[in-house]
């Protein structure tokens, strides 16, 4: 039986309120190995300098819903067996993973490789990219969760690489939250415990991936989707991250610590353990290319 695989390019920036995510997505799709998998562009409203409006606790809610529905429409039109998503902010993962869970009878396994859980709302930091995993579980934001016909089972979700802030980082984050008026209704650690989601940090996985293999075997995961937020990587080793912005530290959440060889080993091992039917890569922020692109845009001879 032939397996139909599609690639989606969704340069969505509104979920992180960060226009740089659009260019990062386009470059990511360009960097990926070329093959006969069709590349389908999900229409995204480009940044035109107009600030996003806060709509019922989410910046750019209307645009995000419209773009979610566009992705859903394209996926349904193609009816793929496997989906690769190039994003964009993390919210791009909702449409493909919700579709795959429905396609595979509500038994999809999902490994969320991310320094952050993407489960909970940060009131005052009203960006939708903090909620995609929550939405997929039927929690998160109700309007977005309503688009998930078959919520993922919490026991079929594994969060890998979750960052743990140091005491000093916690202090800086708390100060940043207070200064920006950010509050949390339910901390991700509380939701993880409430739902019974399994997790493993980068340091644990560097010693052994046995926890993930055991989860796959115990849950009988036959079809697996993988989310990769590049923020899981160490910003000292990989500079194309939100956390590696030159001269401007990012203090809203702790940075990842994973190294490239560890991430690659994990991905190859997962591909051997079960059938990978979904892959999403998100939040690529190539600062050097962004800054060079902005420079080129201002050089007179290139624009006359």
């Amino acid at each position: 039986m032939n397996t139909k695989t599609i690639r989606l390019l969704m340069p969505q920036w509104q979920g992180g309120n960060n226009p740089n995510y659009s260019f990062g997505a386009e470059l990511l799709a360009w960097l990926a190995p070329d093959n006969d998998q069709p590349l389908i562009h999900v229409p995204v409203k480009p940044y035109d300098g107009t600030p996003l409006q806060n709509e019922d606790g989410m910046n750019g809610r209307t645009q995000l819903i419209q773009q979610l529905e566009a992705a859903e429409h394209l996926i349904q039109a193609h009816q793929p067996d496997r989906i690769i998503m190039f994003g964009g902010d993390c919210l791009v993962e909702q449409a493909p993973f919700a579709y795959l869970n429905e396609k595979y009878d509500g038994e999809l396994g999902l490994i969320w490789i991310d320094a952050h859980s993407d489960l909970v709302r940060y009131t005052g930091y009203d960006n939708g990219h903090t909620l995609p995993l929550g939405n997929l579980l039927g929690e998160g934001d109700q309007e977005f969760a309503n688009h998930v016909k078959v919520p993922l089972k919490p026991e079929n979700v594994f969060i890998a690489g979750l960052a743990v802030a140091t005491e000093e980082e916690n202090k800086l984050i708390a100060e940043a939250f207070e200064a920006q008026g950010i509050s949390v209704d339910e901390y991700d650690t509380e939701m993880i415990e409430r739902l019974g989601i399994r997790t493993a940090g980068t340091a644990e996985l560097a010693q052994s991936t046995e926890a993930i293999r055991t989860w796959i075997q115990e849950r009988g995961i036959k079809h697996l989707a993988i989310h990769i937020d590049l923020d899981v990587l160490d910003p000292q080793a990989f500079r194309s991250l939100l956390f590696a912005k030159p001269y401007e530290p990012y203090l809203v959440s702790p940075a990842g610590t994973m190294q490239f060889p560890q991430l690659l080993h994990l991905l190859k091992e997962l591909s051997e353990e079960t059938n990978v039917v979904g892959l999403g890569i998100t939040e690529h922020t190539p600062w050097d290319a962004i800054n060079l692109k902005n420079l080129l845009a201002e050089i007179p001879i290139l624009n006359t």
Side-chain angles (χ1 to χ4, degrees):
M1 181 183 295
N2 292 329
T3 300
K4 183 177 182 180
T5 304
I6 64 170
R7 297 182 178 192
L8 296 174
L9 169 56
M10 191 170 180
Q12 180 171 278
W13 60 274
Q14 293 93 337
N17 202 2
N18 185 346
N20 291 317
Y21 285 151
S22 290
F23 178 62
E26 293 162 357
L27 183 56
L28 188 63
W30 182 81
L31 288 168
D34 193 20
N35 59 26
D36 60 359
Q37 296 168 351
L39 180 64
I40 300 157
H41 293 248
V42 179
V44 168
K45 185 176 181 181
Y47 179 65
D48 62 4
T50 305
L52 293 176
Q53 296 298 308
N54 189 307
E55 305 169 75
D56 191 22
M58 184 178 293
N59 296 318
R61 176 183 292 273
T62 297
Q63 293 178 29
L64 288 167
I65 287 291
Q66 290 171 344
Q67 289 161 192
L68 170 63
E69 291 173 346
E72 291 170 339
H73 175 77
L74 287 167
I75 293 168
Q76 288 294 336
H78 286 271
Q79 290 289 304
D81 302 297
R82 305 191 305 179
I83 303 174
I84 298 162
M85 172 63 85
F86 298 117
D89 61 71
C90 288
L91 197 57
V92 304
E93 305 288 44
Q94 178 170 333
F97 293 167
Y99 165 86
L100 289 169
N101 191 44
E102 186 178 0
K103 179 177 180 62
Y104 294 109
D105 302 317
E107 295 295 338
L108 181 74
L110 173 60
I111 183 161
W112 201 260
I113 305 176
D114 201 322
H116 316 105
S117 71
D118 295 343
L119 285 168
V120 298
R121 181 185 302 279
Y122 291 79
T123 303
Y125 178 80
D126 298 316
N127 295 327
H129 71 158
T130 69
L131 289 169
L133 183 53
N135 298 340
L136 286 163
L137 289 163
E139 303 221 4
D141 181 272
Q142 192 60 55
E143 186 175 9
F144 283 82
N146 287 343
H147 279 257
V148 181
K149 295 180 182 177
V150 182
L152 274 86
K153 296 178 179 178
E155 58 268 28
N156 282 5
V157 174
F158 195 112
I159 303 175
L162 198 59
V164 178
T166 63
E167 185 175 339
E168 180 63 24
E169 286 174 332
N170 274 326
K171 180 181 177 182
L172 292 172
I173 291 169
E175 291 173 353
F177 275 21
E178 184 176 358
Q180 298 176 57
I182 298 172
S183 62
V184 183
D185 298 329
E186 180 182 18
Y187 286 94
D188 57 356
T189 50
E190 295 169 356
M191 187 180 290
I192 287 167
E193 184 175 349
R194 173 168 61 83
L195 297 178
I197 296 172
R198 300 196 204 187
T199 69
T202 294
E204 177 185 344
L205 294 173
Q207 298 298 317
S208 172
T209 57
E210 181 63 32
I212 294 176
R213 293 198 304 273
T214 298
W215 166 72
I216 289 172
Q217 292 165 6
E218 288 182 355
R219 292 301 309 156
I221 302 295
K222 295 179 180 178
H223 301 97
L224 181 72
I226 303 171
H227 160 74
I228 304 171
D229 181 342
L230 292 171
D231 283 350
V232 78
L233 293 166
D234 181 350
Q236 297 300 316
F238 183 58
R239 306 299 299 166
S240 297
L241 304 174
L242 183 64
F243 289 84
K245 185 174 184 178
Y247 315 116
E248 190 175 321
Y250 186 77
L251 300 175
V252 175
S253 54
T257 57
M258 194 173 287
Q259 305 296 316
F260 266 113
Q262 183 182 1
L263 177 58
L264 180 58
H265 173 75
L266 176 57
L267 295 172
K268 287 186 172 181
E269 191 169 80
L270 290 169
S271 299
E272 293 171 357
E273 289 288 330
T274 189
N275 181 25
V276 176
V277 296
L279 173 65
I281 308 175
T282 62
E283 307 211 348
H284 181 216
T285 318
W287 292 115
D288 289 343
I290 289 165
N291 290 332
L292 180 58
K293 184 175 185 287
N294 292 338
L295 173 70
L296 295 174
E298 297 295 327
I299 298 176
I301 196 172
L302 294 177
N303 294 279
T304 56

